[in-house]
Amino acid sequence: MDERCLIDVRGLYELLLDHMGPTHWWPADTRFEIAIGAILTQNTAWGNVETALDRMKAADVLNARSIADLPDETLWDLIRSTGYYRQKAVYLRAFCQWFLDLGEWSHDDDIPALVREVDDETLRRELLSIRGVGGETADDLLLYVFDRPAFIADRYARRMFETLDVDDLPKSYEGFRRRVMPQIDADAWSIPEFQEFHGLIDELGKTCRTPEDWNHSIVAGYRMPLP
DNA sequence: ACCCAGGTGTTTC
DNA sequence: GAAACACATGGG
């Protein structure tokens, strides 16, 4: 079977929660705003994303129809602060088109039946087929927009597990994710806990600039309990 | 001036 | 697969 070491993900979650408290990760007015933020924050500091979201709100265009219809120059100007703005304009439009094809979301917290009907893996593949949605953005969307269980295998998560000397950490995003996800007992986690876990990891990551920082962080001394 | 940030797609081997 | 590259602004 699998010789690789088990990861006590739940213990790690509780350790982080006890020391860092709730993170209030990814606040937003609507699910749509979370999705737009997920694309804009690709390889970009969150502060630059807030600038763009504020500009879009001020222009009253933070909705799928408006973004899809805006002239290139206008959209570029609104999201310029997030970098890669020409590329991200294409990505935003691709997502908005997909979003519009789902039909109207009558209320912000209403997830369309079309989406509710499919299982997690099918929805993930569907999201990955959207231009500009790679593995990490797909997991952001699953977790924070569609309330599905997901482990976001981002840079901070990788650094955390490297600090913990987890064996055989795959190099690719997908490999890393598939190394960790099966070790989470999804039935024992609520969606808010999945969300909080990612928030805690990234909040910790922001405070750790160097490998030395990580080695002095709260997770450094953590030892996985024996199975 | 340099490095990094809540990555993705394309090309090439 | 996996490595190299383009994409780009803003803050430390």
Side-chain angles (χ1 to χ4, degrees), chain A residues 54-68:
Chain A
D54 287 345
R55 287 172 63 77
M56 293 170 92
K57 285 180 191 176
D60 197 26
V61 295
L62 191 48
N63 62 78
R65 186 74 272 158
S66 296
I67 291 172

Side-chain angles (χ1 to χ4, degrees), chain A residues 2-8 161 164-169 179 183 224 227:
Chain A
D2 199 337
E3 297 284 321
R4 298 176 302 187
C5 76
L6 297 174
I7 305 171
D8 176 25
F161 282 115
L164 288 164
D165 290 324
V166 170
D167 296 335
D168 296 333
L169 223 52
R179 171 82 171 83
Q183 310 213 31
M224 304 293 173

Side-chain angles (χ1 to χ4, degrees), chain A residues 19-39:
Chain A
H19 284 82
M20 301 169 59
T23 57
H24 310 295
W25 195 245
W26 222 314
D29 296 334
T30 64
R31 294 181 188 279
F32 181 77
E33 180 179 345
I34 294 174
I36 297 308
I39 291 167

Side-chain angles (χ1 to χ4, degrees), chain A residues 39-87:
Chain A
I39 291 167
L40 293 180
T41 199
Q42 290 168 358
N43 204 37
T44 300
W46 182 251
N48 297 339
V49 178
E50 282 186 317
T51 302
L53 290 173
D54 287 345
R55 287 172 63 77
M56 293 170 92
K57 285 180 191 176
D60 197 26
V61 295
L62 191 48
N63 62 78
R65 186 74 272 158
S66 296
I67 291 172
D69 292 343
L70 242 28
D72 275 337
E73 286 74 12
T74 308
L75 184 53
W76 290 349
D77 187 51
L78 288 168
I79 68 174
R80 188 176 306 276
S81 64
T82 68
Y84 308 139
Y85 59 90
R86 278 183 283 246
Q87 204 173 59

Side-chain angles (χ1 to χ4, degrees), chain A residues 98-134:
Chain A
W98 178 83
F99 186 91
L100 290 167
D101 288 344
L102 292 174
E104 291 299 317
W105 291 37
S106 46
H107 306 290
D108 289 325
D109 287 333
D110 250 6
I111 296 171
L114 243 47
V115 172
R116 284 201 309 264
E117 282 164 6
V118 300
D119 61 86
D120 300 340
E121 284 307 314
T122 305
L123 179 56
R124 190 170 194 275
R125 276 194 300 276
E126 168 87 11
L127 292 169
L128 285 172
S129 73
I130 302 169
R131 192 74 165 185
V133 176

